Amino acid sequence: MKKKILLLHTGGTISMSEDEQTGEVSPGDKNPLASTPLVEDPTLTIDGVELFNLPSPHITPKHMLELTNFIDQQVKNNTYDGVVVTHGTDTLEETAFFLDLTVQTKVPIVITGAMRSSNEIGSDGPYNLLSSVKVAASKEAQGKGVLVVLNDEIHTAKNVTKTHTSNIATFQSPQYGPIGIVTKRGASFHHSPVTDDKYTISSVSKNVMLLKAYAGMDSAIFYLFKQMEVDGVVIEALGQGNLPPTTLKGIKALTESNIPVVLVSRCFNGIVQDIYGYEGGGRHLKQFGVIFSNGLNGQKARIKLMVVLETTNDIEKIQSLFLR
Ligand code: ASP
């Protein structure tokens, strides 16, 4: 029996073309992927849907939730065996992780994109799309969470990040590497994720800020966040999870108001821990009620805090969820 794949387009370079005169890359009226030879694969039925046609800097958490709901509903109503989503690469990792946390269906979901638009020499879009369909149709992709497939590599939504502005090998999973590769014969996995972190949400309404710590940072921005009554703050802290002492008053103002402050590291390898006992060190921050994350990068910790805050405001509970 033929496998049924749902192919959802959301926009991005993979759906754009380059103007030969000016070099400008932009979306056109027709998605160039509509004419991909993939639809001729005799073992698959592929239903294409153009959900959005947006550059990924235009994608918001509301679009992500719409995507979650659409996927769950379509898989249920039409018994799809797998889903492929095409997306701009700039915020691809955020959408992938959002889906990973919120989609309920167990069928494989693969997100892909391209670094070169449809009519550029060496365009990587059609090839990445073909690889993604192979992965989404494979039995082995089941139970591995949302996967990101580009450049012959299979990455988890949780670990992958965009590492290069233009190179087609931009998507990497620092510290962990890909969990599989795509060959001419199909998907070949060599690792499996160990965590399954799922939330059922019906809205995405929280205002969560993300900022990077730096030498000499002070408390001003944290007082401003308090005044703005934000719902949460994620800080890309220094090293193993430390901040300049001049930030402490501001951080305390937030935690005393029950505004969750989640710490990740601005280092792209390793996790944050409450190790250092000096002023502004991790020990100190932990005593203030700062929440330590378990290796997520800043943009993904922000997505997770937004999702988690739809389910609980309890700081201890949030801390336990960030250890997953
Ligand atoms: N700026 C583009 C986007 O994210 C980049 C891409 O798709 O690769 O939509």
Side-chain angles (χ1 to χ4, degrees):
M1 214 174 74
K2 282 190 176 192
K3 285 202 165 184
K4 279 176 72 180
I5 303 293
L6 174 63
L7 174 55
L8 287 177
H9 299 297
T10 69
T13 297
I14 193 166
S15 297
M16 296 184 196
S17 310
E18 183 188 52
D19 182 302
E20 276 158 29
Q21 244 82 71
T22 63
E24 184 179 303
V25 174
S26 49
D29 297 339
K30 248 186 112 201
N31 187 339
L33 290 174
S35 52
T36 162
L38 276 175
V39 284
E40 285 160 17
D41 187 325
T43 66
L44 304 171
T45 303
I46 301 174
D47 292 341
V49 177
E50 193 144 343
L51 198 55
F52 319 121
N53 188 11
L54 295 171
S56 77
H58 296 199
I59 296 276
T60 66
K62 290 214 172 10
H63 293 113
M64 298 177 198
L65 183 59
E66 204 177 321
L67 201 48
T68 289
N69 292 336
F70 191 79
I71 290 172
D72 274 333
Q73 189 204 54
Q74 288 293 316
V75 171
K76 199 166 154 210
N77 294 350
N78 299 303
T79 58
Y80 285 108
D81 299 293
V83 180
V84 174
V85 179
T86 65
H87 198 286
T89 60
D90 290 350
T91 61
L92 186 150
E93 65 193 87
E94 282 154 275
T95 297
F97 190 51
F98 185 95
L99 297 181
D100 196 45
L101 295 173
T102 58
V103 165
Q104 303 301 318
T105 175
K106 298 276 181 249
V107 304
I109 298 172
V110 177
I111 308 207
T112 193
M115 296 304 286
R116 298 183 188 133
S117 66
S118 60
N119 58 343
E120 285 177 60
I121 291 178
S123 169
D124 50 334
Y127 186 81
N128 285 339
L129 183 53
L130 180 65
S131 303
S132 300
V133 170
K134 283 184 192 169
V135 176
S138 80
K139 240 175 109 199
E140 295 72 30
Q142 253 165 27
K144 293 192 169 60
V146 171
L147 300 170
V148 173
V149 172
L150 287 98
N151 199 36
D152 276 341
E153 291 185 346
I154 309 170
H155 294 264
T156 63
K158 187 174 178 186
N159 295 330
V160 78
T161 193
K162 186 175 182 179
T163 64
H164 196 287
T165 55
S166 55
N167 193 309
I168 58 165
T170 183
F171 282 93
Q172 306 286 330
S173 297
Q175 183 160 246
Y176 304 108
I179 63 163
I181 57 169
V182 185
T183 69
K184 298 251 186 266
R185 294 205 177 88
S188 171
F189 287 92
H190 48 74
H191 282 94
S192 269
V194 292
T195 49
D196 184 22
D197 197 14
K198 284 284 178 205
Y199 304 86
T200 307
I201 59 169
S202 55
S203 60
V204 58
S205 59
K206 306 298 177 184
N207 189 12
V208 175
M209 299 293 170
L210 166 64
L211 74 164
K212 192 192 279 270
Y214 49 85
M217 188 181 204
D218 66 20
S219 283
I221 191 87
F222 302 111
Y223 287 130
L224 182 66
F225 286 162
K226 185 176 170 209
Q227 212 183 320
M228 287 166 66
E229 298 181 346
V230 302
D231 298 300
V233 177
V234 175
I235 308 170
E236 292 184 8
L238 308 174
Q240 212 162 154
N242 310 304
L243 289 172
T246 33
T247 62
L248 291 179
K249 283 193 175 137
I251 303 273
K252 211 166 166 204
L254 291 173
T255 55
E256 281 177 356
S257 311
N258 231 19
I259 297 173
V261 176
V262 172
L263 220 60
V264 301
S265 178
R266 68 178 201 179
C267 300
F268 62 88
N269 282 309
I271 59 175
V272 286
Q273 292 178 317
D274 53 332
I275 301 296
Y276 287 97
Y278 54 77
E279 210 190 354
R283 286 271 160 128
H284 212 152
L285 299 172
K286 186 89 178 171
Q287 281 160 16
F288 282 8
V290 168
I291 295 163
F292 282 59
S293 178
N294 203 7
L296 294 173
N297 66 22
Q299 56 271 32
K300 285 191 216 173
R302 175 178 174 268
I303 291 289
K304 178 154 175 174
L305 186 53
M306 291 181 86
V307 168
V308 162
L309 282 169
E310 295 294 334
T311 69
T312 183
N313 288 319
D314 184 293
I315 299 292
E316 276 181 32
K317 174 92 181 136
I318 297 173
Q319 171 63 85
S320 74
L321 295 173
F322 267 93
L323 293 179
R324 284 184 177 174

